[in-house]
Amino acid sequence: NFLNNLKHLQKLVLRSCKFKYTPEFKQPHNQLKYLDLHNCRLIISDAEMFAGLKCLAFLDLAENDVGNVFPELFRELKQLEVLKLRTSISDKLIKLRVNNAFTHLSNLRELHCGAFEFEGRTLFSPLKSLQKLTIEGSKLRKSTIDSIPRVRELRFSDNSCIFIDKTMFSKKHPNLESLDLSRMNLAKVNQHIDVKAFSGLKSLKSLNLAYNRINFINEKMLINLESLESLDLSVSQRTFVIELNSSTLKSMKNLKVLKLKANILRLHGDCFKPLVQLRELDLSDVKMKSSRDIDVFKYLQGIEKLNLKNLAANFQLKIYKLAKLIHLKELCLNIQSDEVQ
């Protein structure tokens, strides 16, 4: 209650504080714009807890037990722009079934949530101003994903596997700029992910498929991604060989960052030729295979950051040709190969 006297307070950070009693913000605090209650281990059951914070723009409730007091908990937070909701309960998911859970948050621009089981068919529909949505460690259903309004950034990292069809993102989110599907346990193409799942995302700049088990990559998966600047395929599959040639990456003319860490790659000599804008390449822990000696570095003339840590190859690596990469600013080199020049 000491806050009642701090009428001019605009930002309040109580991160990781341990409270004997759950704090209340029922009295008017019209100046408070930013409230951080991250990891306070609160059990929030009072739907009127934030009734006095009508001007609040940022609220972090991550690592607390928010239970299921929606939508009343946010009734007065009509100016809220950023909300973080990841629960502290790690051994079970909080079921969020209420279709009108976010009814009062029409101005929300960023939503971060995790450890939920989403079931509402119109759950995210009221969030007309949403630009960035992060859902981690949760159980997703396609009907819930379909309720997400048009956004520019989607992060679905570390969620239970769903089938990614060719219309899930391209039809609903044509202006999507960033998509994170890392750690989703995606494996076989056409079983967990449609081969044309990303083909309509012409505005996409960043695609993260790291730490899945994708069994192959071909040009159909990466077609029409002319705007893509960053592609992460790290640790895709250690039992399947991913084949890379110029046709696989032919639409990647604006790609600046390519991460292929810990994959088994079969490379063709011209595989990096289309990547004229490439500035960063991660080949760490990669096993490279080729039926003949190739010059891996031939088409990397503009590269600035190159990671070759623990790189292994079954052909002769001509390391001396790195001297031609005159724009190189950062180099990590620890080659595991019997033949190095």
Side-chain angles (χ1 to χ4, degrees):
N1 292 329
F2 75 97
L3 294 175
N4 294 338
N5 295 323
L6 305 178
K7 301 298 184 183
H8 301 287
L9 193 66
Q10 296 183 13
K11 182 175 181 178
L12 178 60
V13 178
L14 298 171
R15 177 172 287 235
S16 298
C17 287
K18 299 299 182 285
F19 294 98
K20 185 176 181 180
Y21 304 102
T22 300
E24 295 180 353
F25 301 91
K26 296 181 179 180
Q27 298 298 319
H29 293 281
N30 293 328
Q31 297 298 318
L32 195 63
K33 302 288 195 303
Y34 186 108
L35 178 59
D36 187 346
L37 294 170
H38 185 103
N39 194 34
C40 290
R41 303 292 173 174
L42 299 174
I43 300 177
I44 300 174
S45 57
D46 185 356
E48 301 295 323
M49 180 176 176
F50 303 114
L53 305 182
K54 295 185 178 182
C55 296
L56 198 67
F58 178 98
L59 176 60
D60 189 344
L61 290 176
E63 303 303 325
N64 292 288
D65 183 359
V66 296
N68 213 337
V69 289
F70 312 97
E72 290 78 10
L73 184 64
F74 309 123
R75 183 178 299 277
E76 301 299 333
L77 305 184
K78 294 180 174 61
Q79 302 303 314
L80 200 64
E81 296 182 2
V82 180
L83 175 61
K84 299 186 178 184
L85 269 182
R86 185 178 179 90
T87 181
S88 62
I89 300 178
S90 58
D91 59 340
K92 66 176 182 178
L93 301 180
I94 298 295
K95 290 189 177 182
L96 193 55
R97 298 177 177 174
V98 186
N99 278 328
N100 61 348
F102 303 114
T103 297
H104 306 293
L105 301 178
S106 58
N107 287 315
L108 198 69
R109 294 183 176 274
E110 293 186 24
L111 175 61
H112 305 247
C113 47
F116 286 99
E117 181 176 351
F118 299 97
E119 295 187 359
R121 282 184 166 273
T122 60
L123 185 62
F124 298 108
S125 299
L127 305 177
K128 302 299 183 183
S129 300
L130 199 66
Q131 295 294 311
K132 179 179 179 180
L133 175 62
T134 300
I135 298 176
E136 299 174 318
S138 297
K139 186 175 182 180
L140 293 170
R141 286 176 170 79
K142 186 179 183 300
S143 59
T144 305
I145 294 176
D146 288 343
S147 77
I148 300 171
R150 292 188 176 186
V151 295
R152 294 190 178 276
E153 184 173 347
L154 282 174
R155 294 188 60 196
F156 287 158
S157 179
D158 196 28
N159 291 296
S160 58
C161 183
I162 54 174
F163 179 70
I164 310 297
D165 66 34
K166 62 182 179 181
T167 63
M168 183 175 292
F169 300 117
S170 59
K171 185 177 181 180
K172 189 71 177 180
H173 306 283
N175 298 318
L176 192 65
E177 295 180 358
S178 179
L179 178 60
D180 184 348
L181 297 174
S182 61
R183 303 180 189 275
M184 289 276 287
N185 201 31
L186 299 172
K188 295 183 178 180
V189 174
N190 291 329
Q191 180 176 326
H192 292 150
I193 181 170
D194 190 286
V195 71
K196 295 183 179 180
F198 315 116
S199 61
L201 299 175
K202 295 184 178 181
S203 298
L204 196 67
K205 295 181 179 180
S206 175
L207 177 60
N208 188 350
L209 295 171
Y211 298 93
N212 286 292
R213 299 181 294 113
I214 297 173
N215 58 341
F216 76 92
I217 302 293
N218 66 12
E219 63 270 22
K220 289 183 179 179
M221 286 191 68
L222 304 174
I223 197 170
N224 295 329
L225 297 181
E226 293 91 351
S227 300
L228 199 67
E229 297 180 359
S230 177
L231 176 61
D232 194 341
L233 295 170
S234 299
V235 201
S236 288
Q237 182 59 270
R238 293 310 298 263
T239 57
F240 287 92
V241 177
I242 295 178
E243 189 158 345
L244 289 183
N245 52 44
S246 58
S247 62
T248 309
L249 303 171
K250 65 181 179 181
S251 66
M252 307 276 107
K253 295 182 179 180
N254 287 310
L255 197 70
K256 294 180 173 61
V257 179
L258 178 59
K259 298 182 180 181
L260 297 167
K261 178 180 179 179
N263 281 292
I264 302 175
L265 305 177
R266 179 175 285 116
L267 301 181
H268 296 266
D270 60 350
C271 63
F272 297 125
K273 186 176 181 179
L275 308 182
V276 294
Q277 299 293 330
L278 195 65
R279 298 295 179 264
E280 179 180 342
L281 177 62
D282 186 353
L283 292 173
S284 60
D285 298 301
V286 163
K287 293 183 179 180
M288 291 196 304
K289 296 185 176 185
S290 179
S291 58
R292 59 185 178 84
D293 286 352
I294 61 173
D295 184 357
V296 179
F297 314 111
K298 182 177 180 179
Y299 297 106
L300 299 179
Q301 300 303 314
I303 206 76
E304 297 178 357
K305 184 177 180 180
L306 183 60
N307 190 346
L308 303 177
K309 182 180 180 181
N310 297 327
L311 175 66
N314 71 341
F315 57 90
Q316 190 175 71
L317 286 169
K318 300 174 182 179
I319 298 300
Y320 65 89
K321 292 201 172 184
L322 289 173
K324 295 183 178 181
L325 307 183
I326 59 175
H327 298 287
L328 201 60
K329 297 178 181 179
E330 185 175 331
L331 174 64
C332 185
L333 193 63
N334 180 14
I335 305 296
Q336 295 185 8
S337 179
D338 295 332
E339 299 186 50
V340 177
Q341 286 189 345

